[in-house]
């Protein structure tokens, strides 16, 4: 079929089970009078205009639209439709919540239609793998050797295994980040490895490894030994700059337990300059989560008590302006109740204007909208806690059709 691409055909059967979890088309058409519009559209609008209208629908609605009739199916299967879809600036990020501690199974939350869908993730074997996402692509890295990496689009199911990063396979801590270009669809992946210097708890080897999808190669961009600070598992790429958190090993350089360093990926240097870019945390934190919201670095952090810094008393959101942190919001107490008290008690990530936060101990998902500064709970996740120590975690990704690894 000339001018067509096969993105629907390739994973239509895989998505069939998930589509049965969507509302029926009759329910969909009753929301906002879409059925009446469909009759007039079918008889009046030319294909190119209808194509542009359908490309603005939420992802779930596009799947349903493709089942309405042959004409609509052909439209949403065409290459020109994907081109129009790619020019829709942003789709609200979905949040995938792992509902099993052992297997990578779970549900994805759509904040536009406020519904949960059961979808299968390609590539990943366990829910404790490292995960990073950008513009529709998700990168998975195994938690054992830290050398098996895959990139996929969770919606189209396309995936690719990457070559192993250079350097040592094993590290004490690793931080994964990915940045995809919306126009070219090329992407950059970074892995920050942190390994203790043998016999010295206060000295840590830090190395930064960069993958370029254009050349399908890795390069070790920087190696450095840090004193009294170590790397962790939090990093993100914003506007060509890699940010990652450092954790104090007990030295006297800072009163805080966390700090941030930057590394310019586009202007790589192998010289030891990390500590010169050090930015202290905005306050005493129990943990920090980094995310890219419209090329701005945002951090969600657990705020520690002044006399007991390992006890969390609240959760705050900050944006980095130059080298200064600006507080955006603090979670109201009515939402904070139930998050627990000690150190790392919550998972958080975000993109576009949405930030997701949820406690490791429960499937309840909290959403913060940066535009309107509003907190709200998502619709209840269709899973129940099976045993007291069951943990939940997750990640967000932008649902897109036009980008694949």
């Amino acid at each position: 079929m000339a001018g067509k691409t096969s993105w629907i055909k390739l994973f239509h059967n895989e998505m069939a089970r998930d589509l049965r979890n969507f509302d029926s088309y009759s329910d969909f058409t009753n929301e906002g009078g879409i059925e009446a519009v469909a009759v007039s559209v079918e008889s009046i609008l030319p294909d190119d205009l209808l194509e542009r209208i359908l490309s603005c629908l939420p992802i779930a609605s596009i799947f349903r639209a493709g089942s309405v009739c042959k004409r609509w199916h052909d439209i949403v299967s065409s290459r020109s439709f994907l081109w129009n879809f790619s020019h829709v600036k942003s789709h609200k990020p979905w949040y995938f919540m792992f509902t099993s501690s052992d297997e990578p199974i779970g549900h994805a939350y759509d904040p536009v239609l406020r519904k949960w869908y059961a979808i299968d993730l390609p590539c990943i074997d366990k829910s404790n793998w490292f995960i990073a996402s950008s513009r529709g692509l998700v990168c998975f890295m195994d938690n054992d050797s830290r050398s098996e990496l895959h990139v996929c689009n969770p919606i189209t199911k396309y995936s690719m295994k990457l070559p192993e990063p250079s350097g040592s396979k094993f590290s004490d801590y690793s931080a994964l980040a990915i940045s995809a270009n919306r126009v070219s669809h090329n992407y950059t992946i970074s892995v920050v490895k942190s390994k203790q210097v043998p016999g010295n708890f206060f000295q840590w080897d830090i190395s930064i490894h960069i993958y370029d999808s254009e050349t399908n190669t890795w390069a070790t961009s920087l190696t450095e030994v840090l004193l009294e600070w170590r790397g962790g598992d939090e990093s993100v790429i914003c506007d060509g700059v890699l940010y990652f958190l450092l954790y104090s090993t007990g030295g006297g350089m800072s009163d805080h337990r966390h700090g941030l360093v930057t590394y310019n990926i586009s202007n790589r240097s192998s010289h030891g300059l990390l500590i010169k870019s050090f930015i202290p945390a905005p306050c005493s934190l129990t943990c920090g989560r980094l995310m890219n919201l419209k090329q701005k670095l945002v951090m969600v952090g657990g705020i520690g008590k002044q006399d007991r810094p390992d006890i969390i008393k609240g959760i705050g959101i900050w944006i980095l302006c130059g080298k200064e942190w600006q507080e955006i919001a603090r979670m109201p107490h009515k939402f904070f109740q139930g998050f627990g008290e000690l150190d790392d008690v919550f998972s958080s990530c975000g993109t576009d204007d949405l930030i997701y936060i949820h406690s490791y101990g429960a499937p309840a998902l909290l959403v913060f909208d940066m535009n309107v500064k509003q907190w709200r709970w998502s619709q209840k996740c269709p899973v129940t806690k099976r045993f007291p120590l069951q943990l939940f975690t997750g990640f967000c990704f932008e649902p897109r059709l036009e980008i694949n690894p």
Side-chain angles (χ1 to χ4, degrees), residues 355-391:
I355 295 176
Y356 293 102
I357 308 173
H358 80 84
S359 167
Y360 287 135
L365 179 63
L366 186 60
V367 186
F368 179 72
D369 191 316
M370 291 280 286
N371 269 339
V372 295
K373 303 296 188 291
Q374 181 185 56
W375 301 87
R376 71 174 187 272
W377 293 107
S378 73
Q379 297 300 104
K380 186 177 179 181
C381 183
V383 65
T384 57
K385 192 167 182 174
R386 294 177 296 172
F387 49 90
L389 295 181
Q390 182 178 2
L391 299 179

Side-chain angles (χ1 to χ4, degrees), residues 13 20 27 43 122 133 140-142 199 209 250 311 345 356 364 387:
N13 292 335
R20 287 196 293 270
D27 292 337
S43 58
S133 69
F140 300 108
M141 181 173 71
D142 77 296
H209 309 268
I311 301 294
V345 295
Y356 293 102
F387 49 90

